[in-house]
Coordinates of all heavy atoms in Angstrom, one line a residue:
Y12 N 4.0 45.2 91.3 CA 2.9 45.2 92.3 C 3.4 44.7 93.8 O 3.3 45.4 94.7 CB 1.8 44.4 91.7 CG 0.6 44.7 92.3 CD1 0.0 45.9 91.8 CD2 0.0 44.0 93.3 CE1 -1.2 46.2 92.3 CE2 -1.2 44.3 93.8 CZ -1.8 45.5 93.4 OH -2.9 46.0 93.9
V13 N 3.9 43.5 93.7 CA 4.3 42.9 94.9 C 5.5 43.6 95.6 O 5.4 43.9 96.8 CB 4.6 41.4 94.7 CG1 5.3 40.7 95.9 CG2 3.5 40.6 94.1
T125 N 5.8 34.1 93.0 CA 5.1 32.9 92.9 C 5.9 31.9 92.0 O 6.1 32.2 90.9 CB 3.7 33.0 92.5 OG1 3.0 33.9 93.4 CG2 3.0 31.7 92.4
E158 N 3.2 35.8 98.9 CA 2.3 37.0 99.1 C 0.9 36.8 98.7 O 0.7 35.9 97.8 CB 2.9 38.2 98.3 CG 2.9 38.1 96.8 CD 1.6 38.3 96.2 OE1 0.8 38.9 96.7 OE2 1.4 37.7 95.0
F159 N 0.0 37.3 99.4 CA -1.4 37.1 99.1 C -2.2 38.4 98.9 O -3.4 38.5 99.3 CB -2.1 36.3 100.3 CG -1.4 35.0 100.7 CD1 -0.5 34.9 101.7 CD2 -1.6 33.9 99.8 CE1 0.2 33.7 102.0 CE2 -0.9 32.6 100.1 CZ 0.0 32.6 101.2
L160 N -1.6 39.4 98.3 CA -2.1 40.7 98.2 C -3.2 40.7 97.1 O -3.0 40.1 96.0 CB -1.1 41.7 97.8 CG 0.2 41.8 98.6 CD1 1.1 42.9 98.1 CD2 -0.2 42.1 100.1
R161 N -4.3 41.4 97.3 CA -5.4 41.6 96.3 C -5.1 43.0 95.7 O -4.9 43.9 96.4 CB -6.7 41.6 96.9 CG -7.1 40.2 97.4 CD -8.4 40.5 98.3 NE -8.1 41.2 99.5 CZ -8.9 41.8 100.3 NH1 -10.2 41.6 100.1 NH2 -8.6 42.5 101.3
E162 N -5.2 43.0 94.4 CA -5.2 44.4 93.8 C -6.3 45.3 94.3 O -7.4 44.8 94.5 CB -5.3 44.3 92.2 CG -4.0 43.9 91.6 CD -4.1 44.0 90.1 OE1 -4.7 44.8 89.5 OE2 -3.5 43.1 89.5
G163 N -6.0 46.5 94.5 CA -7.0 47.4 95.0 C -7.1 47.4 96.6 O -7.6 48.3 97.2
N164 N -6.5 46.3 97.2 CA -6.6 46.3 98.7 C -5.1 45.9 99.2 O -4.9 45.4 100.3 CB -7.4 45.2 99.2 CG -8.9 45.4 99.0 OD1 -9.5 46.3 99.7 ND2 -9.5 44.8 97.9
D168 N -3.9 44.7 102.7 CA -3.5 43.3 102.9 C -2.1 43.2 103.5 O -1.9 42.2 104.2 CB -3.6 42.5 101.6 CG -5.1 42.4 101.2 OD1 -6.0 42.5 102.1 OD2 -5.3 41.9 100.0
R174 N -2.4 35.8 107.2 CA -1.3 34.9 107.8 C 0.0 35.3 107.0 O 0.0 35.9 105.9 CB -1.7 33.5 107.5 CG -1.5 32.9 106.1 CD -2.4 33.3 105.1 NE -2.6 32.2 104.1 CZ -3.2 32.4 102.9 NH1 -3.5 33.7 102.5 NH2 -3.4 31.4 102.2
K216 N 1.0 28.7 98.2 CA 0.6 29.9 97.3 C -0.3 29.5 96.1 O -1.4 30.0 95.9 CB 1.9 30.6 96.9 CG 1.7 31.7 95.9 CD 0.9 32.8 96.3 CE 0.5 33.6 95.1 NZ -0.1 34.9 95.4
S219 N -3.6 28.1 97.3 CA -4.6 29.1 97.8 C -5.4 29.8 96.6 O -6.6 29.8 96.7 CB -3.9 30.2 98.6 OG -3.3 29.6 99.8
N220 N -4.5 30.2 95.6 CA -5.2 30.9 94.5 C -6.0 29.9 93.8 O -7.1 30.2 93.3 CB -4.1 31.5 93.6 CG -3.7 32.8 94.1 OD1 -4.3 33.4 95.0 ND2 -2.7 33.5 93.4
L223 N -9.4 29.3 95.6 CA -10.3 30.4 95.4 C -10.9 30.4 94.0 O -12.1 30.7 93.8 CB -9.6 31.7 95.8 CG -9.2 31.9 97.2 CD1 -8.3 33.2 97.3 CD2 -10.4 32.0 98.1
A224 N -10.1 30.2 93.0 CA -10.5 30.1 91.6 C -11.5 28.9 91.5 O -12.5 29.0 90.8 CB -9.4 29.8 90.6
K226 N -13.5 27.8 93.9 CA -14.8 28.2 94.5 C -15.6 29.1 93.4 O -16.9 28.9 93.3 CB -14.5 29.1 95.7 CG -14.4 28.4 97.0 CD -14.2 29.3 98.2 CE -15.6 29.4 99.0 NZ -15.4 30.1 100.2
I227 N -15.0 29.9 92.7 CA -15.6 30.7 91.8 C -16.2 29.8 90.6 O -17.4 30.1 90.3 CB -14.6 31.9 91.2 CG1 -14.3 32.8 92.3 CG2 -15.4 32.7 90.0 CD1 -13.1 33.8 92.0
S228 N -15.4 29.0 90.1 CA -15.8 28.2 89.0 C -17.0 27.3 89.5 O -18.0 27.0 88.7 CB -14.8 27.3 88.4 OG -14.1 28.1 87.4
A230 N -19.2 28.1 91.8 CA -20.4 28.9 92.0 C -20.9 29.2 90.5 O -22.1 29.2 90.3 CB -19.9 30.2 92.6
N231 N -20.1 29.4 89.6 CA -20.5 29.6 88.2 C -21.2 28.5 87.6 O -22.2 28.6 86.9 CB -19.3 30.0 87.3 CG -18.9 31.5 87.6 OD1 -19.7 32.3 88.1 ND2 -17.7 31.8 87.3
P260 N -18.7 31.5 103.3 CA -19.4 32.2 102.2 C -18.7 33.2 101.4 O -19.1 33.7 100.4 CB -20.5 32.9 103.1 CG -19.9 33.1 104.4 CD -19.0 32.0 104.6
K261 N -17.4 33.5 101.8 CA -16.7 34.5 101.1 C -16.1 34.0 99.9 O -15.9 32.8 99.7 CB -15.5 35.0 102.0 CG -15.9 35.8 103.2 CD -14.7 36.1 104.0 CE -15.0 36.7 105.4 NZ -13.9 36.7 106.2
F262 N -16.0 34.9 98.8 CA -15.3 34.5 97.6 C -16.1 33.4 96.9 O -15.5 32.5 96.4 CB -13.9 34.1 97.8 CG -13.0 34.8 96.9 CD1 -12.5 36.1 97.2 CD2 -12.6 34.2 95.7 CE1 -11.6 36.7 96.3 CE2 -11.7 34.9 94.8 CZ -11.3 36.2 95.1
F263 N -17.3 33.5 97.0 CA -18.1 32.5 96.4 C -19.3 33.0 95.4 O -20.3 32.5 95.3 CB -18.9 31.8 97.7 CG -19.2 30.3 97.5 CD1 -18.7 29.6 96.4 CD2 -20.0 29.7 98.4 CE1 -19.0 28.3 96.2 CE2 -20.3 28.4 98.2 CZ -19.8 27.6 97.1
G264 N -18.9 34.1 94.8 CA -19.9 34.9 94.0 C -19.8 34.4 92.6 O -18.7 34.4 92.0
A265 N -21.0 33.9 92.0 CA -21.0 33.7 90.6 C -21.0 35.0 89.8 O -21.4 36.0 90.3 CB -22.3 32.9 90.3
G266 N -20.4 34.9 88.6 CA -20.4 36.1 87.8 C -19.9 35.9 86.5 O -20.2 34.9 85.8
A267 N -19.1 36.8 85.9 CA -18.5 36.8 84.5 C -17.2 35.9 84.4 O -16.6 35.8 83.3 CB -18.3 38.1 84.0
G268 N -16.7 35.3 85.6 CA -15.5 34.6 85.6 C -14.4 35.3 86.2 O -14.5 36.5 86.4
F269 N -13.4 34.6 86.6 CA -12.2 35.3 87.2 C -11.1 35.7 86.2 O -11.0 35.1 85.2 CB -11.6 34.5 88.3 CG -11.1 33.1 87.8 CD1 -9.9 32.9 87.2 CD2 -11.8 31.9 88.1 CE1 -9.4 31.7 86.8 CE2 -11.3 30.7 87.6 CZ -10.1 30.5 87.0
G270 N -10.5 36.8 86.5 CA -9.5 37.3 85.6 C -8.3 37.8 86.5 O -8.1 37.4 87.6
G271 N -7.5 38.8 85.9 CA -6.4 39.4 86.8 C -5.1 38.7 86.4 O -5.0 37.7 85.7
S272 N -4.1 39.2 87.2 CA -2.7 38.7 86.9 C -2.4 37.5 87.6 O -1.3 36.9 87.3 CB -1.8 39.8 87.3 OG -1.9 40.0 88.7
C273 N -3.2 37.0 88.6 CA -2.7 35.8 89.3 C -3.6 34.6 89.1 O -3.0 33.5 88.8 CB -2.9 36.2 90.8 SG -1.6 37.3 91.3
F274 N -4.9 34.6 89.2 CA -5.7 33.3 89.2 C -5.5 32.6 87.9 O -5.1 31.4 88.0 CB -7.2 33.6 89.4 CG -7.5 33.9 90.9 CD1 -6.7 34.0 91.8 CD2 -8.9 34.1 91.2 CE1 -6.9 34.2 93.2 CE2 -9.3 34.3 92.5 CZ -8.3 34.4 93.4
P275 N -5.7 33.3 86.7 CA -5.5 32.4 85.4 C -4.1 31.8 85.4 O -3.9 30.7 85.1 CB -5.9 33.4 84.3 CG -6.7 34.4 85.0 CD -6.1 34.5 86.4
D277 N -1.8 31.3 87.7 CA -1.5 30.4 88.7 C -2.1 29.0 88.6 O -1.5 28.0 88.8 CB -1.7 31.0 90.1 CG -0.7 32.1 90.5 OD1 0.3 32.3 89.7 OD2 -0.9 32.8 91.5
N302 N -14.1 28.4 83.6 CA -13.9 29.9 83.5 C -13.9 30.3 82.0 O -14.5 31.4 81.8 CB -12.5 30.2 84.2 CG -12.5 31.7 84.5 OD1 -13.5 32.2 85.2 ND2 -11.5 32.5 84.2
S332 N -12.2 46.5 83.0 CA -11.1 46.0 83.9 C -11.6 44.6 84.6 O -12.7 44.4 84.7 CB -10.8 47.0 85.0 OG -11.9 47.3 85.8
F333 N -10.6 43.9 85.0 CA -10.9 42.5 85.5 C -11.7 42.5 86.9 O -12.4 41.5 87.1 CB -9.7 41.6 85.6 CG -8.9 41.7 86.9 CD1 -9.1 40.8 87.9 CD2 -7.9 42.7 87.1 CE1 -8.3 40.8 89.1 CE2 -7.1 42.8 88.2 CZ -7.4 41.9 89.3
K334 N -11.6 43.7 87.6 CA -12.4 43.9 88.7 C -12.5 45.3 88.9 O -11.7 46.1 88.4 CB -11.9 43.1 89.9 CG -10.5 43.6 90.4 CD -10.2 42.8 91.7 CE -9.0 43.4 92.5 NZ -8.7 42.7 93.7
P335 N -13.4 45.8 89.9 CA -13.5 47.2 90.1 C -12.2 47.8 90.8 O -11.4 47.0 91.4 CB -14.7 47.4 91.1 CG -15.2 46.0 91.2 CD -14.3 44.9 90.7
T337 N -9.6 49.2 89.7 CA -8.3 49.0 89.1 C -8.4 49.2 87.6 O -9.6 49.1 87.1 CB -7.7 47.5 89.3 OG1 -6.5 47.4 88.6 CG2 -8.7 46.4 88.9
D339 N -6.5 47.5 85.6 CA -5.8 46.3 85.0 C -6.8 45.5 84.2 O -7.8 45.1 84.5 CB -5.4 45.5 86.3 CG -4.3 44.5 86.0 OD1 -4.2 44.1 84.7 OD2 -3.6 44.0 86.9
R341 N -5.5 42.6 82.6 CA -5.0 41.3 82.4 C -6.0 40.3 82.6 O -6.7 40.2 83.6 CB -3.7 41.2 83.3 CG -2.5 41.9 82.7 CD -1.3 41.8 83.6 NE -1.5 42.5 84.9 CZ -0.6 42.6 85.8 NH1 0.5 41.9 85.8 NH2 -0.8 43.4 86.9
E342 N -6.2 39.5 81.5 CA -7.1 38.3 81.6 C -8.5 38.7 82.0 O -9.2 38.0 82.6 CB -6.6 37.2 82.5 CG -5.3 36.6 82.1 CD -5.4 35.6 81.0 OE1 -6.5 35.1 80.7 OE2 -4.3 35.3 80.4
A343 N -8.9 40.0 81.7 CA -10.2 40.4 82.0 C -11.3 39.7 81.3 O -11.2 39.5 80.0 CB -10.3 42.0 81.7
P344 N -12.4 39.2 82.0 CA -13.5 38.6 81.3 C -14.1 39.4 80.2 O -14.5 38.8 79.2 CB -14.5 38.3 82.5 CG -13.7 38.3 83.7 CD -12.5 39.3 83.5
V398 N -20.3 43.7 83.3 CA -19.2 42.8 83.3 C -18.2 43.1 84.5 O -17.6 42.1 85.1 CB -18.5 42.9 82.0 CG1 -17.3 41.9 82.0 CG2 -19.3 42.5 80.8
T399 N -18.2 44.3 85.0 CA -17.4 44.6 86.2 C -18.3 45.4 87.1 O -18.9 46.3 86.7 CB -16.2 45.4 85.8 OG1 -15.5 44.8 84.7 CG2 -15.1 45.5 87.0
E400 N -18.2 45.1 88.4 CA -19.2 45.7 89.4 C -18.7 47.0 89.9 O -18.4 47.1 91.2 CB -19.5 44.7 90.4 CG -18.3 44.2 91.3 CD -17.6 43.0 90.8 OE1 -17.3 43.0 89.6 OE2 -17.1 42.2 91.5
R425 N -22.8 40.4 86.9 CA -22.0 40.4 88.3 C -23.0 40.6 89.5 O -22.6 40.8 90.5 CB -21.1 41.7 88.3 CG -19.9 41.5 87.4 CD -18.9 40.4 88.0 NE -17.7 40.3 87.2 CZ -16.7 39.4 87.4 NH1 -16.9 38.5 88.4 NH2 -15.8 39.4 86.6
Ligands
UDX501 C1 -6.0 37.4 93.8 C2 -6.0 36.8 95.3 O1 -7.2 37.2 95.8 C3 -4.7 37.4 96.0 O2 -4.8 36.7 97.3 C4 -3.5 36.9 95.2 O3 -2.3 37.4 95.9 C5 -3.6 37.5 93.9 O4 -4.7 37.0 93.2 P1 -6.5 39.7 92.6 O5 -6.2 39.1 91.4 O6 -6.2 41.2 93.0 O7 -6.1 38.8 93.9 O8 -8.2 39.8 92.7 P2 -9.4 39.1 93.4 O9 -10.1 40.2 94.2 O10 -8.9 38.0 94.3 O11 -10.4 38.7 92.2 C6 -9.9 37.7 91.3 C7 -11.0 37.5 90.2 O12 -12.0 36.7 90.7 C8 -11.7 38.8 89.7 O13 -11.8 38.7 88.3 C9 -13.0 38.8 90.4 O14 -14.0 39.5 89.7 C10 -13.3 37.3 90.6 N1 -14.2 36.9 91.6 C11 -13.8 37.1 92.9 C12 -15.4 36.3 91.3 O15 -15.8 36.0 90.2 N2 -16.2 35.9 92.4 C13 -15.9 36.2 93.7 O16 -16.7 35.8 94.5 C14 -14.7 36.8 94.0

Side-chain angles (χ1 to χ4, degrees):
Y12 205 73
V13 174
T125 301
E158 60 79 22
F159 302 104
L160 310 179
R161 293 164 298 166
E162 278 186 37
N164 291 286
D168 287 349
R174 85 287 212 193
K216 169 66 192 187
S219 299
N220 275 356
L223 293 172
K226 273 187 102 168
I227 297 169
S228 276
N231 285 336
K261 290 180 193 163
F262 228 84
F263 210 9
F269 57 79
S272 62
C273 287
F274 283 1
D277 290 351
N302 199 49
S332 58
F333 86 95
K334 69 174 191 179
T337 174
D339 197 337
R341 282 176 289 179
E342 298 281 344
V398 177
T399 314
E400 62 277 35
R425 287 293 181 186

